[in-house]
């Protein structure tokens, strides 16, 4: 399973998809958090697993096939009411062309029907998801999604070493120490790949000529108190 997860991640051309499909309004992911929060590290050990490397992907897939030959179609479930079809098609095409397997999107009529199967653990394919943190900290991108038994841990991921690092980070006496521990936790995620990060959403906004000093916060919302009228 790990070999196949690594191969799938390496077979996705994030640079091409974010440029072509999203017109640069997304940035390829290099970790499990966000570049707008304190402590973000774009040089984590193992982050190369999130780069496009078709030769390495094909080799890993072949190693997995030597253990248990692949059969069937790799599918990514998504909600049709969210505008996801285009990028899901691009991702599955990238996987298909790189690995030489059948890959396709699996559309659900709406978000609720997709989430029902995810929550009930009845879904049988890979599926899209996204995350907006509640506060600008690395911890809030990791603990709610990947800690054992966490409320948004859709894949039921569990790693005692990862959980221990989260606990140590939460108890740390300063932010730098906490962020260092969370970097170590992320390096575990980059090895286990309980999910495959794709990209970060960039801020897209505009404002009229009658105002100035328009700045967007970490959560992509304008800081209205800072706006001035010309």
């Amino acid at each position: 399973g790990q070999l196949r997860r690594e191969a799938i991640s390496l077979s996705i051309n994030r640079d091409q998809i974010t440029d072509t499909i999203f017109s640069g309004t997304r940035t390829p992911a290099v970790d499990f958090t966000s570049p707008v929060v304190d402590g973000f590290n774009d040089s984590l050990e193992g982050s190369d697993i999130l780069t496009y490397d078709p030769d390495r992907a094909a080799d890993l897939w072949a190693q997995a096939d030597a253990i248990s030959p692949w059969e069937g179609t790799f599918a990514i479930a998504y909600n049709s009411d969210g505008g996801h079809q285009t990028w899901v098609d691009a991702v599955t095409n990238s996987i298909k062309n790189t690995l030489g397997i059948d890959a396709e999107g699996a559309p659900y009529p709406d978000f609720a029907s997709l989430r029902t199967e995810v929550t009930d653990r009845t879904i049988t394919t890979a599926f899209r998801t996204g995350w907006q943190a509640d506060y600008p900290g690395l911890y809030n991108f990791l603990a709610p999604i990947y800690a054992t038994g966490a409320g948004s841990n859709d894949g039921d991921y569990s790693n005692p070493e990862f959980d221990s690092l989260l606990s140590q980070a939460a108890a740390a006496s300063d932010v730098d120490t906490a962020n260092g521990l969370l970097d170590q936790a992320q390096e575990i995620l980059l090895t286990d790949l309980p999910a495959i990060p794709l990209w970060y959403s960039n801020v897209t906004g505009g404002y009229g000529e009658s105002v100035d000093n328009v700045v967007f916060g970490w959560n992509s919302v304008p800081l209205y108190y800072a706006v001035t009228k010309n």
Side-chain angles (χ1 to χ4, degrees), residues 5-223:
R5 292 195 298 276
E6 291 176 349
I8 288 167
S9 180
L10 291 165
S11 69
I12 301 170
N13 194 334
R14 295 167 178 78
D15 288 322
Q16 183 182 68
I17 293 171
T18 54
D19 182 54
T20 304
I21 303 299
F22 291 109
S23 300
T25 61
R26 303 290 188 276
T27 298
V30 296
D31 81 326
F32 286 81
T33 65
S34 168
V36 300
V37 299
D38 179 67
F40 171 75
N41 186 346
D42 63 359
S43 301
L44 294 170
E45 183 176 348
S47 61
D48 59 319
I49 201 67
L50 305 182
T51 60
Y52 180 55
D53 190 337
D55 291 337
R56 184 180 171 197
D59 178 63
L60 290 169
W61 195 262
Q63 291 181 44
D65 273 344
I67 299 170
S68 178
W70 171 262
E71 295 180 356
T73 300
F74 180 77
I76 300 177
Y78 65 94
N79 49 302
S80 297
D81 60 352
H84 300 291
Q85 180 180 352
T86 304
W87 73 257
V88 170
D89 287 348
V91 167
T92 52
N93 282 335
S94 190
I95 293 170
K96 179 179 180 179
N97 294 335
T98 302
L99 301 179
I101 64 172
D102 289 330
E104 63 186 18
Y108 282 66
D110 51 40
F111 184 69
S113 58
L114 171 62
R115 288 304 307 177
T116 295
E117 288 202 11
V118 172
T119 301
D120 293 344
R121 304 300 194 261
T122 56
I123 196 163
T124 58
T125 68
F127 55 90
R128 67 148 295 271
T129 187
W131 184 255
Q132 170 64 60
D134 299 304
Y135 58 86
L138 300 179
Y139 186 89
N140 197 236
F141 284 90
L142 303 176
I145 312 175
Y146 303 111
T148 300
S152 296
N153 188 345
D154 292 331
D156 295 326
Y157 174 70
S158 180
N159 183 310
E161 185 180 359
F162 175 81
D163 291 341
S164 175
L165 287 166
L166 287 183
S167 297
Q168 294 175 57
S173 58
D174 63 87
V175 174
D176 289 341
T177 299
N179 287 342
L181 291 164
L182 294 174
D183 279 353
Q184 295 178 50
Q186 283 209 78
E187 288 172 353
I188 292 175
L189 294 182
L190 288 166
T191 297
D192 292 347
L193 283 182
I196 297 176
L198 295 178
W199 40 70
Y200 318 110
S201 294
N202 301 339
V203 172
T204 304
Y207 56 93
E209 295 179 353
S210 61
V211 295
D212 202 357
N213 199 41
V214 177
V215 179
F216 291 85
W218 70 273
N219 57 355
S220 301
V221 176
L223 303 180

